[in-house]
């Protein structure tokens, strides 16, 4: 097994990435995207000839024009929907109202699931020992998916707050928890967003890497996680 960890120091709280850390997000998003296309086609027939690739290409173009949209998942989708509807021939006022409705529908659909009971049970055990919070680049509704009782709060990017790996949300979490950055342990599946993001903020990083022996391409020792985990049980072992 390759050692890609530098060891933990004492910590006072744990933060979690949500998508692809506490549940498999890919099939959820794929289903929500298809439902959104059907929603648009039923209510706005001019969208019927546009597929997911068309909407994603428009989104990329808009982000190139306004890079700040890359840090706000909901705003980027809203602007994409509105601009796409205008491009397809709808009036600006109608497009704006339709985009708001479509965004609300999408967020509802992408949050139309429940985190596995065994995951919630493990988080509940951890919550008896540490405050738990969420730090996500996405826009899932944590209350709807069953995390409201175990996470004290969830931070999302947007309104000037940048996505991970920028340190903004880590700083906000530590400020709200009234702890030093070094006292927060963050668990996430993304080496770039979660490990590098936590390290840049001065927090401790736990890399959720089911293939624990896989060594990432490291640029410097400063990017190493403090621990690697194959699942939540590795965190539970810290309190047993």
């Amino acid at each position: 097994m390759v050692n890609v960890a530098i060891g933990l120091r004492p910590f006072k709280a744990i933060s979690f990435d949500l998508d692809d850390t506490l549940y498999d997000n890919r099939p959820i998003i794929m289903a929500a995207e298809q439902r959104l296309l059907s929603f648009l086609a039923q209510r706005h027939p001019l969208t019927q000839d546009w597929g997911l690739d068309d909407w994603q290409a428009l989104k990329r173009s808009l982000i190139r024009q306004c890079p700040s949209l890359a840090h706000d998942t909901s705003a980027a989708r809203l602007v994409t929907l509105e601009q796409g509807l205008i491009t397809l021939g709808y009036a600006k006022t109608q497009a704006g109202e339709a985009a708001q409705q479509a965004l609300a529908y999408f967020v509802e659909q992408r949050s139309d699931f429940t985190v596995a009971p065994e995951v919630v049970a493990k988080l509940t055990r951890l919550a008896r020992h540490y405050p738990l919070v969420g730090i996500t680049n996405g826009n899932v509704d944590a209350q709807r998916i069953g995390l409201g009782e175990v996470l004290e709060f969830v931070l999302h990017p947007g309104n000037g707050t940048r996505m991970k790996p920028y340190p903004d949300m880590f700083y906000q979490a530590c400020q709200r928890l009234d702890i030093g950055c070094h006292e927060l342990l963050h668990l996430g599946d993304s080496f770039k967003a979660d490990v590098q993001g936590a390290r840049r903020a001065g927090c401790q990083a736990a890399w959720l890497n089911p293939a624990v022996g896989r060594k990432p391409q490291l640029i410097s020792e400063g990017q190493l996680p403090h621990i690697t985990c194959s699942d939540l049980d590795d965190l539970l072992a810290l309190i047993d």
Side-chain angles (χ1 to χ4, degrees):
M1 181 182 295
V2 177
N3 182 11
V4 292
I6 59 178
L8 281 174
R9 295 169 292 171
F11 56 92
K12 293 184 177 179
I14 306 175
S15 60
F16 294 88
D17 172 53
L18 303 186
D19 296 345
D20 296 317
T21 294
L22 299 182
Y23 47 85
D24 183 1
N25 190 55
R26 182 174 173 79
I28 296 165
I29 287 292
M30 291 179 63
E33 294 281 13
Q34 291 303 315
R35 292 172 190 166
L36 177 60
L37 291 177
S38 297
F39 177 90
L40 289 168
Q42 291 170 6
R43 289 160 178 77
H44 312 289
L46 295 180
T47 66
Q48 291 177 1
D49 292 334
W50 270 32
L52 184 58
D53 289 345
D54 299 297
W55 288 103
Q56 290 180 339
L58 176 59
K59 179 181 177 181
R60 289 191 296 269
S61 174
L62 292 169
I63 288 175
R64 285 194 297 270
Q65 296 172 42
C66 183
S68 63
L69 287 174
H71 293 284
D72 193 328
T73 302
S74 293
R77 186 173 292 275
L78 180 63
V79 171
T80 300
L81 287 164
E82 181 174 3
Q83 188 57 53
L85 288 163
I86 291 172
T87 299
L88 288 167
Y90 292 96
K92 183 174 178 57
T93 300
Q94 183 182 6
E97 294 174 354
Q100 291 281 0
Q101 294 168 0
L103 174 63
Y105 178 80
F106 177 81
V107 173
E108 178 182 298
Q109 295 303 308
R110 73 93 65 240
S111 302
D112 187 24
F113 68 97
T114 303
V115 175
E118 58 269 26
V119 171
V120 175
K122 292 174 183 179
L123 292 172
T124 300
R125 286 179 59 192
L126 284 169
R128 298 190 187 113
H129 300 267
Y130 300 99
L132 307 183
V133 304
I135 298 178
T136 177
N137 281 347
N139 57 359
V140 72
D141 185 336
Q143 291 285 340
R144 285 196 62 206
I145 66 174
L147 296 175
E149 296 300 317
V150 290
L151 300 182
E152 297 197 3
F153 58 83
V154 176
L155 298 178
H156 304 267
N159 298 317
T161 297
R162 296 170 296 179
M163 285 185 171
K164 300 174 293 183
Y166 285 94
D168 304 27
M169 290 188 286
F170 296 103
Y171 291 155
Q172 290 177 17
C174 293
Q175 184 176 31
R176 288 182 62 170
L177 291 164
D178 194 23
I179 60 175
C181 289
H182 65 284
E183 295 174 315
L184 178 68
L185 174 64
H186 178 72
L187 175 73
D189 69 295
S190 171
F191 189 81
K192 179 179 179 180
D194 295 304
V195 174
Q196 294 184 17
R199 294 302 310 274
R200 288 179 186 179
C203 302
Q204 298 189 65
W207 185 29
L208 182 64
N209 175 22
V212 175
R214 175 166 60 95
K215 187 173 183 177
Q217 295 296 314
L218 301 174
I219 298 174
S220 70
E221 285 292 304
Q223 292 182 322
L224 284 167
H226 290 79
I227 58 171
T228 56
C229 303
S230 60
D231 54 39
L232 284 177
D233 290 334
D234 292 334
L235 282 187
L236 288 170
L238 299 176
I239 64 174
D240 289 338

